[in-house]
């Protein structure tokens, strides 16, 4: 098995570096879809199969092309409540995430969607090839957090929430002591 | 005279109404929209007829009750019945027609909450499981028989239901803001708080009743059901404003 140190994300992706541990090759993850710049909904795909991440495959997508997600960036609880109220009523076309990356290969997906984490994340739980999801700066209301955790548990995901970030990992990937 | 009690199921409306039955003027009409599957009951059970009566007939009925100056009629309306007169079930996104009418009528309205929504949700699931409440048989949400052991799916279902109940109450409360004769209270303040007796007496005074009896607390549970996984619920609610529910 390859040395996991070879599998680090590039330095310009420091915002996602804390998810390294979950995306180790021995965790069974073969691909990760990573969103790097807040507000610019662009995904990069990285292969964890054999080589270090020098062979980036750039997949570009836009979950909600007409929505300026950057404007939704905010940190206070009031702002989060506003975001939760606002984006729920928007009906916008979503690019199917299954179009990104190779289907049926395990993926760890990192989202930084500025208030859109809740519904996108919830839609990913039912995909069999998603083994982990990281939500950066997860801007969710309390109600959304609770519902997302419920959905995660029902779909077999373990979760860990910090002040801003959230990680969901398929329970089958956890060791017995971690569960 | 009429007092309309608006609440979610398992919010203590029946227990509360029983506290006032010592007053001669008090008449508990109960859940007038409750479907008891054709069982015999009070004449107002006509509202249970399969063909939904019109809002005009309901208005006539309330007018008939108001014409009796010697009695106070207690009407129990559950949130899920508020959309009864709407052509499409809007849920609670739009003010239901019945709620708008109640605001227009201006009769005394009591909005009763269950401030601990999780306990209310557990009570609903427990009552459903034991078959003494609305549905028959101890069947869980997944179709399996509910057992007296810890159940993760049932616990998650309870947390989800608690959120739904909470949102329903907030929506109804928001719609009722313009009601000019509204009394808002909750189950806990009526039955669990040390000031419960005073709170019930104050409510009775507001309704103009002279006698307020002690509730039958033997039927009020303060424990979590056997199937409820408190640790799992704590994990789900951790860090949110609702975490205190499992404290």
């Amino acid at each position: 098995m390859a040395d996991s140190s070879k599998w680090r994300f590039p330095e310009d992706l420091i915002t996602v570096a804390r998810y390294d541990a979950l995306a180790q090759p021995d965790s069974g993850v073969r691909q990760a879809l990573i969103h790097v710049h807040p507000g610019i909904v662009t995904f990069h795909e990285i292969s964890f199969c054999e080589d270090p991440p020098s062979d980036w495959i750039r997949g570009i997508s836009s979950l909600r092309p007409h929505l300026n997600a950057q404007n939704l960036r905010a940190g206070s609880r009031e702002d989060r409540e506003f975001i939760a109220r606002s984006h729920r009523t928007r009906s916008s076309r979503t690019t199917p995430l299954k179009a990104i990356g190779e289907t049926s290969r395990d993926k760890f997906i990192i989202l930084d969607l500025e208030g859109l984490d809740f519904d996108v994340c919830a839609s990913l739980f039912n995909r069999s090839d998603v083994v982990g999801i990281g939500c950066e700066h997860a801007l969710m209301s309390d109600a959304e957090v609770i519902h997302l955790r419920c959905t995660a548990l029902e779909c077999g995901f373990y979760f860990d929430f910090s002040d801003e970030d959230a990680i969901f990992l398929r329970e089958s990937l956890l060791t017995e002591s971690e569960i | 005279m009429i007092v309309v009690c608006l609440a979610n199921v398992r919010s203590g409306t029946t227990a509360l109404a029983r506290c006032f039955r010592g007053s001669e003027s008090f008449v508990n009409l109960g859940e007038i929209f409750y479907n008891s599957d054709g069982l015999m009951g009070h004449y107002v059970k006509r509202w249970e007829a399969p063909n939904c009566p019109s809002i005009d007939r309901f208005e006539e009925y309330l007018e008939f009750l108001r014409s009796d100056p010697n009695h106070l009629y207690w009407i129990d309306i559950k949130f899920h019945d508020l959309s009864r007169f709407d052509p499409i079930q809007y849920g609670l996104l739009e003010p239901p027609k019945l709620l708008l009418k109640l605001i227009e009528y201006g009769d005394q309205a009591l909005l009763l909450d269950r401030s601990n929504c999780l306990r209310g949700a557990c009570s609903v699931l427990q009552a459903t499981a034991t078959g003494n409440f609305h549905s028959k048989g101890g069947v869980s949400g997944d179709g399996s028989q509910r057992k007296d052991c810890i159940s993760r799916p049932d616990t998650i279902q309870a947390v989800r239901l608690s959120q739904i109940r909470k949102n329903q109450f907030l929506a109804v409360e928001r719609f009722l803001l313009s009601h000019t004769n509204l009394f808002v209270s909750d189950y806990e303040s009526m039955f669990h708080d040390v000031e419960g007796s005073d709170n019930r007496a104050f409510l009775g005074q507001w309704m103009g009743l002279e006698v307020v009896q002690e509730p039958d607390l033997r039927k009020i549970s303060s424990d979590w059901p056997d199937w409820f996984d408190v640790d799992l619920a704590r994990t789900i609610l951790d860090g949110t404003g609702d975490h205190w529910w499992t404290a």
Side-chain angles (χ1 to χ4, degrees):
Chain A
M1 186 162 290
D3 179 3
S4 62
S5 64
K6 291 163 59 179
W7 305 72
R8 297 291 175 192
F9 294 103
E11 288 184 358
D12 61 328
L13 298 181
I14 52 173
T15 57
V16 294
R18 53 184 165 276
Y19 298 118
D20 275 6
L22 289 173
Q24 300 293 345
D26 53 1
S27 70
V29 176
R30 293 289 177 264
Q31 287 180 311
L33 302 174
I34 305 156
H35 171 233
V36 284
H37 302 296
I40 304 171
V41 193
T42 302
F43 284 86
H44 297 267
E45 180 177 344
I46 183 171
S47 170
F48 288 100
C49 296
E50 298 289 338
D51 302 315
S54 56
D55 57 338
W56 287 83
I57 305 166
R58 251 161 222 274
I60 299 177
S61 179
S62 179
L63 286 173
R64 289 170 173 79
H66 64 282
L67 183 65
N68 183 355
Q70 184 68 56
N71 289 339
L72 293 176
R73 185 170 184 79
S76 71
R77 178 172 293 273
E78 290 73 19
D79 289 334
R80 293 178 190 214
E81 296 292 345
F82 169 78
I83 289 167
R85 283 199 311 274
S86 304
H87 83 254
R88 195 177 292 139
T89 57
R90 284 196 182 92
S91 109
S92 52
R93 189 171 60 83
T94 24
T95 299
L97 278 177
K98 64 183 177 185
I100 306 170
E102 192 173 333
T103 54
S104 78
R105 293 179 72 176
D106 289 347
K107 298 175 182 65
F108 185 92
I109 295 177
I110 295 176
L111 304 173
D112 188 0
L113 298 176
E114 316 302 342
L116 303 176
D117 309 71
F118 168 71
D119 47 1
V120 175
C121 193
S123 70
L124 291 172
F125 285 139
N126 288 315
R127 285 191 53 180
S128 59
D129 57 349
V130 173
V131 295
I133 303 168
C135 294
E136 273 214 298
H137 311 296
L139 299 177
M140 290 180 260
S141 66
D142 281 353
E144 287 176 323
V145 166
I146 292 168
H147 281 298
L148 199 57
R149 289 173 177 177
C150 287
T151 306
L153 289 168
E154 288 167 340
C155 295
F157 281 83
Y158 163 85
F159 58 78
D160 185 16
F161 275 66
S162 65
D163 287 344
E164 284 197 353
D165 307 325
I167 297 171
F168 300 88
L169 193 64
R170 199 173 282 285
E171 288 190 6
S172 59
L173 296 179
L174 299 176
T175 64
E176 197 169 316
S177 61
E178 289 173 316
I179 293 176
Chain B
M1 292 177 290
I2 301 169
V3 59
V4 181
C5 179
L6 297 158
N8 224 319
V9 292
R10 307 300 285 193
S11 294
T13 55
T14 304
L16 191 58
R18 284 178 179 161
C19 295
F20 307 121
R21 61 184 170 184
S23 295
E24 286 186 9
S25 59
F26 184 77
V27 180
N28 181 9
L29 297 177
E31 284 186 57
I32 59 171
F33 296 119
Y34 176 57
N35 182 1
S36 61
D37 293 326
L39 297 176
M40 294 297 289
H42 192 275
Y43 74 96
V44 297
K45 294 289 183 183
R46 67 189 181 196
W47 295 105
E48 297 173 6
N51 295 325
C52 181
S54 67
I55 191 80
D56 294 334
R57 285 193 58 209
F58 179 68
E59 198 165 349
E60 286 173 19
Y61 174 65
L62 292 184
E63 193 54 43
F64 166 73
L65 296 178
R66 285 192 204 100
S67 66
D68 177 3
N70 299 318
H71 293 95
L72 177 68
Y73 292 95
W74 170 282
I75 294 175
D76 185 345
I77 300 178
K78 293 297 189 286
F79 290 167
H80 61 253
D81 277 323
L82 286 174
S83 301
R84 163 168 292 255
F85 295 113
D86 294 293
I88 301 173
Q89 294 289 327
Y90 287 110
L92 290 174
L93 296 176
E94 302 285 338
K97 191 183 292 183
L98 176 56
L99 205 52
L100 293 173
K101 282 292 182 182
L102 292 174
I103 295 170
E104 179 187 329
Y105 302 152
D107 297 302
Q108 285 183 302
L110 166 64
L111 179 60
L112 194 62
D113 188 16
R114 184 84 186 238
S115 62
N116 192 329
C117 296
L118 191 51
R119 289 216 187 256
C122 284
S123 179
V124 170
L125 295 176
Q126 186 70 5
T128 304
T130 53
N132 63 7
F133 168 68
H134 288 287
S135 68
K136 299 178 178 63
V139 180
S140 177
D142 60 1
S144 61
Q145 198 76 15
R146 197 183 294 276
K147 297 175 181 175
D148 292 333
C149 58
I150 284 180
S151 165
R152 282 168 60 95
D154 288 343
T155 302
I156 294 170
Q157 189 184 3
V159 173
R160 280 193 184 286
L161 183 57
S162 69
Q163 292 290 301
I164 294 170
R165 287 171 62 92
K166 182 180 174 186
N167 289 337
Q168 282 176 328
F169 178 84
L170 292 175
V172 174
E173 185 184 42
R174 190 172 65 250
F175 295 148
L176 281 174
L177 282 178
S178 56
H179 198 293
T180 54
N181 205 356
L182 179 67
F183 190 107
V184 182
S185 188
D186 60 74
Y187 175 99
E188 285 75 7
S189 68
M190 288 291 165
F191 299 113
H192 283 177
D193 290 358
V194 290
E195 302 93 351
S197 178
D198 291 340
N199 293 336
R200 292 190 299 273
F202 186 75
L203 176 61
Q205 190 181 357
W206 177 73
M207 292 192 294
L209 298 173
E210 64 278 13
V211 179
V212 180
Q213 296 174 319
E214 288 298 307
D216 185 355
L217 294 175
R218 291 173 302 174
K219 294 182 179 178
I220 294 178
S221 170
S222 57
D223 295 326
W224 297 111
D226 292 336
W227 50 264
F228 187 70
D229 188 339
V230 181
D231 291 334
L232 180 64
R234 279 198 190 105
T235 303
I236 296 172
L237 299 173
D238 181 44
T240 70
D242 295 335
H243 197 195
W244 68 271
W245 292 353
T246 51

